[in-house]
Amino acid sequence: MSKKSSFFVLMCLLAGNMFAQIFSANDLYNFYDNFKENSLKEKRFKHSEILPLIKTIKKDGLFKVEKVGKSFEGREINMLSIGSGNTTVFAWSQMHGDEPTATMALFDLFNFFADTTQFVPLKKYLLQNLKMYFIPMLNPDGAERYSRRTALKIDMNRDALRLQNRESRILKRLQNKLKPMFGFNLHDQGSLYTAGKTFKTATISFLLPAFNKDKDINDIRERGMKVIADMNSKMTAFMPGHIGRYDDEFEPRAFGDNFVKWGTSSILIESGGWKDDTEKQFVRKMNFIAILTGLYSMASEHYVNFSIDDYFDIPENDNYLYDIVIRNIKNKIQDSTVVMDFGINQAESSTKEGNVFYRGAITEAGDLSTFFGNDDYCFDSMEVKHGLIYPEEFETIEQVGKLKFNNLLSNGYIYVKVKDIPKNLKYSKYPINIVSSNFSLTGDVNLGNLANFLIFDNSALRYVFVNGFMFDVKTKVNKIKNGMIF
């Protein structure tokens, strides 16, 4: 081995040793709660809730806080910056108003840097080697409505060319001004994407977008792919099999694709699902660790130890998951009895007042043997039937609230008639469906229907499904979040 080769090997070993000493993803995982911003406990927070946090950060003086513009409806958009290094990183979250996970993680990150007692060598190293810029909540008008689009009803991530949104123009202006080497484009994706053809949710998905239709790989893409490979290697320990690679089909109107075209290795992070994590608090924690892992890789250039093959080894996002799969259920359709599977999805929605409710529907039926459920039940030899309508009719919905619901459900009643139902009411806050006086059951229990039915084991009622959620007659475990209004 030549002296030059020996020197290179020695430098690599020293760099690897320094990486191990300063950076520990495992320690970040264990001590995360020390930095979590506890005022953001639920995902449907609004712009007004982050303004006091930004005001406190500005007062503390560690970050430079700059108002970079206003949204269409006049809400201020702030950029926070920190560090004095030569490598510029620009991160933005909540380009889509209903994608808040990374915004929470950014405020955890701000708390991390503000802390003076833990991870001091790591923070010092990052601040010396990086100049970091962050926009938490780029689309505050969308966040106000928990809506993907801006107040103009335009998807900002399809506005990188026309720049019709004020918010889009702010993002483009800052890219021109900062000319960042790296970027973090922070999003949420649906909770039922899988990491490859598996039952495991794609809790975090990465992408280094294409900059042209041919998906060519230049130095800018390659550099970002290697950072992602580094991030993936650290994150796998916390959620093995739950990391995916997002589709890299070129989208000429998207900011991520154009950032790469404009010279920034812009890393897309899509926050997906994790079982029983409705408010995405675990996924938020994974964002926090992923971003810090990426920042250290950028600062130390540790990403040079990875290849683009490592990036392409990450399984692609796929669609092999339902919220619930019911298997091998006997279903009488007209004069025939067939054995089939149901795939049930529980779609989250909200009222204008911000009240959250769910709508559970049978979104697939037939042979689902190649698919999976977050909750997966095999009901061999059991039979599905319509639920029952409670014989007594009530004047108001308030009267329904006095019923003993577990008793009703145990007897197969999943509908209650009410004479006076407010016209604007979309859902029942009780674990039972509210129906009008002239309601009747028609048709079969099958694809396209809301998931309201009974499961019988021989002649005994065993399970009750109301609006896609299950009540266990034997154990009395009731998972029903809400009913619907018919």
Side-chain angles (χ1 to χ4, degrees):
M1 183 181 293
S2 67
K3 290 184 177 179
K4 185 175 181 180
S5 297
S6 299
F7 177 77
F8 178 76
V9 171
L10 177 61
M11 289 299 100
C12 288
L13 289 172
L14 289 173
N17 188 47
M18 180 188 72
F19 184 88
Q21 289 177 351
I22 295 178
F23 183 85
S24 169
N26 192 59
D27 285 347
L28 290 172
Y29 183 93
N30 291 331
F31 292 99
Y32 163 76
D33 286 344
N34 294 344
F35 313 113
K36 183 178 180 179
E37 177 47 60
N38 289 316
S39 68
L40 301 176
K41 297 178 180 179
E42 299 176 347
K43 62 188 178 185
R44 291 173 180 261
F45 55 88
K46 299 183 186 299
H47 180 255
S48 59
E49 295 175 66
I50 69 169
L51 283 181
L53 301 176
I54 293 174
K55 184 177 180 180
T56 299
I57 292 170
K58 184 175 182 179
K59 184 178 180 181
D60 290 344
L62 180 63
F63 285 83
K64 178 183 177 183
V65 178
E66 176 184 1
K67 190 174 88 170
V68 292
K70 290 186 175 182
S71 69
F72 182 79
E73 294 181 334
R75 296 180 175 90
E76 65 181 52
I77 297 171
N78 291 284
M79 182 170 71
L80 289 70
S81 59
I82 192 170
S84 57
N86 294 323
T87 299
T88 301
V89 185
F90 180 30
W92 65 95
S93 71
Q94 228 162 332
M95 169 183 282
H96 294 138
D98 59 352
E99 299 180 5
T101 304
T103 301
M104 295 187 283
L106 287 183
F107 280 97
D108 301 336
L109 187 70
F110 302 153
N111 288 344
F112 171 82
F113 279 111
D115 173 79
T116 60
T117 61
Q118 295 178 279
F119 299 98
V120 173
L122 172 59
K123 285 180 274 194
K124 182 178 179 181
Y125 187 81
L126 293 176
L127 296 176
Q128 288 176 341
N129 289 277
L130 300 177
K131 182 66 175 176
M132 296 168 279
Y133 298 86
F134 304 94
I135 296 182
M137 194 179 284
L138 182 60
N139 178 9
D141 297 346
E144 194 71 15
R145 301 165 175 80
Y146 203 70
S147 167
R148 176 182 179 88
R149 296 170 181 259
T150 65
L152 292 178
K153 308 298 183 185
I154 295 175
D155 184 340
M156 197 191 311
N157 207 26
R158 299 295 181 266
D159 192 35
L161 301 182
R162 290 189 175 182
L163 300 174
Q164 294 301 295
N165 290 295
R166 290 184 184 178
E167 300 89 341
S168 304
R169 294 193 290 273
I170 291 170
L171 187 59
K172 172 57 176 164
R173 173 171 54 82
L174 290 171
Q175 198 281 335
N176 289 340
K177 177 182 177 182
L178 301 176
K179 300 188 186 309
M181 177 182 287
F182 293 102
F184 282 111
N185 183 10
L186 304 170
H187 288 260
D188 282 57
Q189 67 178 5
S191 62
L192 296 177
Y193 282 100
T194 56
K197 293 177 173 60
T198 73
F199 68 93
K200 293 189 175 183
T201 54
T203 304
I204 292 289
S205 294
F206 294 116
L207 173 68
L208 207 295
F211 62 88
N212 63 13
K213 189 175 181 180
D214 293 330
K215 305 181 186 179
D216 291 330
I217 299 175
N218 59 4
D219 292 344
I220 296 164
R221 278 198 88 193
E222 181 177 354
R223 182 174 62 209
M225 287 175 173
K226 290 180 177 180
V227 173
I228 289 173
D230 194 358
M231 295 164 72
N232 176 63
S233 72
K234 307 301 182 296
M235 300 299 296
T236 298
F238 311 119
M239 43 180 179
H242 287 275
I243 299 176
R245 177 165 50 87
Y246 202 77
D247 175 33
D248 67 347
E249 188 70 26
F250 176 58
E251 173 46 77
R253 302 166 298 166
F255 270 99
D257 304 60
N258 280 286
F259 260 68
V260 178
K261 183 185 291 187
W262 299 331
T264 300
S265 299
S266 181
I267 294 167
L268 173 75
I269 300 180
E270 292 275 357
S271 297
W274 185 258
K275 185 174 168 56
D276 298 325
D277 186 23
T278 304
E279 296 301 327
K280 305 191 85 164
Q281 297 303 296
F282 176 77
V283 189
R284 161 194 190 168
K285 180 176 181 177
M286 293 300 98
N287 264 261
F288 169 81
I289 298 171
I291 293 169
L292 275 171
T293 302
L295 289 174
Y296 189 79
S297 186
M298 296 165 186
S300 64
E301 297 187 1
H302 190 259
Y303 59 86
V304 301
N305 297 293
F306 294 84
S307 69
I308 59 173
D309 289 338
D310 296 323
Y311 170 82
F312 284 110
D313 282 343
I314 302 171
E316 285 189 281
N317 271 13
D318 224 317
N319 292 279
Y320 279 83
L321 193 65
Y322 295 91
D323 284 313
I324 295 177
V325 170
I326 293 174
R327 303 188 188 277
N328 301 335
I329 193 77
K330 289 194 296 184
N331 192 6
K332 188 173 183 180
I333 300 176
Q334 296 182 15
D335 295 328
S336 300
T337 297
V338 296
V339 175
M340 60 199 314
D341 307 330
F342 288 159
I344 299 171
N345 284 340
Q346 303 154 338
E348 181 182 309
S349 190
S350 65
T351 65
K352 290 182 179 180
E353 297 75 28
N355 298 317
V356 178
F357 65 96
Y358 294 85
R359 187 178 186 275
I362 303 172
T363 55
E364 189 53 273
D367 181 358
L368 298 182
S369 57
T370 60
F371 291 83
F372 310 94
N374 270 325
D375 289 311
D376 211 305
Y377 304 102
C378 188
F379 290 155
D380 287 336
S381 301
M382 297 189 194
E383 186 177 3
V384 62
K385 294 183 180 181
H386 275 301
L388 303 176
I389 303 171
Y390 190 64
E392 182 181 352
E393 184 173 12
F394 296 90
E395 293 290 334
T396 66
I397 290 178
E398 287 71 22
Q399 291 174 329
V400 175
K402 298 178 181 179
L403 294 171
K404 295 180 179 179
F405 294 108
N406 280 8
N407 289 345
L408 264 66
L409 295 170
S410 295
N411 287 288
Y413 296 113
I414 64 175
Y415 303 98
V416 175
K417 287 188 175 183
V418 173
K419 290 181 181 179
D420 184 17
I421 302 176
K423 291 182 179 180
N424 62 342
L425 200 60
K426 293 184 177 181
Y427 72 98
S428 162
K429 64 182 179 180
Y430 307 119
I432 204 159
N433 297 303
I434 305 295
V435 300
S436 59
S437 299
N438 59 355
F439 176 82
S440 62
L441 292 168
T442 59
D444 305 311
V445 179
N446 212 330
L447 178 66
N449 298 334
L450 291 186
N452 295 300
F453 50 79
L454 310 177
I455 302 290
F456 285 85
D457 187 1
N458 293 318
S459 60
L461 178 59
R462 185 65 183 83
Y463 301 100
V464 178
F465 279 81
V466 173
N467 192 34
F469 294 87
M470 191 174 79
F471 171 74
D472 188 323
V473 175
K474 185 176 181 180
T475 66
K476 306 303 180 186
V477 173
N478 192 340
K479 296 183 178 181
I480 303 169
K481 294 192 175 182
N482 63 267
M484 295 300 293
I485 302 290
F486 295 89

